[in-house]
Amino acid sequence: MIQIRNVDFQIHGNPILHDISTSIPKGQLTALIGPNGAGKSTLLKLIARLEKLQSGSVRIDGLDLSATPTEKLALVMAVLSQHTHVSSRLRLCELVGFGRWPHHHGRPSAHDRAEITRALELFDLTALADRFLDEVSGGQAQRAFLAMTFAQATDWLLLDEPLNNLDMAHARALMRHLAGLVRDQGKSITVVVHEINYAAAWADHVIAMKDGRILAEGPPADVLTEPLLSRLYDVPVAVGTHQGRPLILHHV
Amino acid sequence: MIRPLPVMLAILLSLFVTSLTIGAAQVSLRAAGSDAWAALVLMESRLPRTLAVVLTGAALAVAGTVMQQIVRNKFVGPDTTGTSESAGLGLLLMTILAPDSPVWVRMLVASLTALAGSAAFILLIRRLPAREVMLVPVAGIILSGVIGAVVTFIAWRYDLVQYVGTWLAAGGSSGIIAGRYETLWVAGAAAIAAWFAADRFAILGLGDNVAKGLGLDPAPVMRLGLMVVSVVSALVVVTVGMIPFVGLVVPNIVSRIMGDDLRRSIPVVATAGAALVSACDIIGRLVIYPYEVPVGLIMGIVGSVIFLILLYRPTRPST
């Protein structure tokens, strides 16, 4: 479980997060939703120790974030940031290979190589393994970064807008795949998503944020309701059901 | 598939032997065993010079790779980011303030000023918008120009303009003999240190967030990179003068051919850099034989042509 206690955050004096206290359940797919500028990415970065905590505390499976060495945290959680623009000319297999670095620090074993092969297979990249990053499409590059995160083989995966650049089919395949990892391998995955229906269809737990505060949290059926979503995004939405899960109609 | 490393090593070896046989004195390699004079020319002049050129080329090319990784920009090298000029500034200050200081003290001071110059460059480009790729080399060239202007001004005040000009153009290159080049082994050691940290530089090249996510603190890797670049630049400037373009074009060519998996590519970068500077040195010794042209001048001409070709030729696909 990730426990967040009294976290405030400011950038150049502008408050981004106000006294956030919540917890993210272990062994579930958690979706962070909310309008642009709500503080979702900032909260994810603080949990992932990509930004330094200014106040409050974060504990991940009992490990205090500010007291645990970063190498140790890399074996507990893997992070995918937004805007992963890379100027290095790397082959996809080399990029995915860096996901194993926290385990071997420069001396990969046969097990590490097997994990790289497996990650490439899982993300449908085997045929592209020897291509350079600047020779594949944005969606393929995004999948390569996901495969790198996955190859890190951590209990926790924190993904900031993993659906960026993915077409409908690959976005759905990714969410299905993440849900499968949670169900079959007991992984705990937290994603920031903008397309709310992916949260509705696949998430076990939803945290809705607005203006640096948590507006609501809980199972999708409790959070993704007409009044709450209309308040969250300041637009009227209609919520139906599809296969027993909420279906949000926000585009008309 | 052609493996780049053995090919480059073979080219470098032939250039190495060629370099040993060229010079104003006619010396046969075979005679060195029996002829004391030939052995003297080889051991005291030809071999030190050839080794100096090889070490310089290899270390500068590796320093260029490291610089490009820590800056995340392919259009920079140690000679376009103020590093070499800062080393020159340190050297000039030592010449004025402590002319009798031993050479290792001068090198230490030049390394420290080079470090300060590179650090200033890093601080400068952190304030630039990340997406403007071309602003980084422009900022580097401006910084180099400013530091170079300071060097010229101080040199002018102390009536050392000619001294500085000669030093930066040729260093001691035409006069490299045993006892003058050995400090370049330190530059070689710095390049080897870079190879040991190759994975770390490669990960740093993926961005601070990716590095942190993989449990790698970017700051010490950045410091190590700056040290490597500064030490190499300073030692090269003090010993053989400024050699432009090596640290810029060689990493780019190697990256085009085999990508940026640094653990595999750094040895190729080093041999290719050594081969390129050796070739330029040989040309410099032949064009007005038996006199010679500084290697930096030939490198400037060859390097700028290669750089233009690289700019205009798109990368080839890998398959």
Side-chain angles (χ1 to χ4, degrees), chain A residues 49-50 70-71 74 81 85-91 94-95 98-99 101-102 106 130-132 135 148 152, chain B residues 69 72 74 131 199 202-203 205-206 209-210 212-216 255-256 259-261 264 316-318:
Chain A
R49 49 91 169 85
L50 302 182
T70 183
E71 305 90 72
S81 310
H85 172 78
V86 168
S87 59
S88 299
R89 232 168 103 74
L90 288 171
R91 295 175 200 276
E94 293 161 354
L95 179 77
F98 283 123
W101 195 79
D130 285 327
R131 292 264 201 101
F132 285 113
E135 295 165 3
M148 173 171 98
Q152 215 170 323
Chain B
Q69 286 295 312
R72 293 175 201 122
K74 293 268 183 216
R131 291 276 161 188
D199 281 347
I203 290 172
L206 297 174
N209 280 349
V210 174
K212 285 181 194 164
L214 293 174
L216 180 69
S255 166
R256 291 237 175 147
D260 289 326
D261 184 11
R264 274 173 58 238
R316 264 181 308 171
S318 56

Side-chain angles (χ1 to χ4, degrees), chain B residues 93-155:
Chain B
L93 291 178
M94 287 309 282
T95 307
I96 294 166
L97 300 174
D100 300 325
S101 56
V103 77
W104 67 268
V105 176
R106 293 181 188 217
M107 287 182 172
L108 190 67
V109 172
S111 299
L112 289 175
T113 51
L115 195 61
S118 326
F121 174 66
I122 298 288
L123 290 178
L124 188 68
I125 60 163
R126 282 215 178 140
R127 294 169 175 271
L128 296 175
R131 291 276 161 188
E132 298 289 339
V133 177
M134 278 306 172
L135 275 183
V136 172
V138 169
I141 290 165
I142 292 172
L143 183 67
S144 303
V146 170
I147 298 171
V150 171
V151 170
T152 310
F153 178 74
I154 296 175

Side-chain angles (χ1 to χ4, degrees), chain A residues 213-226:
Chain A
R213 291 184 175 84
I214 291 175
L215 201 64
E217 53 193 313
D222 296 353
V223 176
L224 304 178
T225 60
E226 276 176 21

Side-chain angles (χ1 to χ4, degrees), chain A residues 25-29 61 154-157 178-189:
Chain A
K26 180 125 178 147
Q28 295 198 3
L29 179 55
D61 288 346
T154 52
D155 280 352
W156 288 89
L157 290 170
L178 295 179
L181 288 174
V182 169
R183 193 181 56 239
D184 305 330
Q185 299 188 24
K187 301 264 185 197
S188 311
I189 302 179

Side-chain angles (χ1 to χ4, degrees), chain B residues 230-252:
Chain B
S230 306
V231 165
V232 167
S233 305
L235 294 191
V236 167
V237 167
V238 171
T239 329
V240 295
M242 280 208 203
I243 314 281
F245 284 110
V246 193
L248 181 63
V249 297
V250 172
N252 271 294

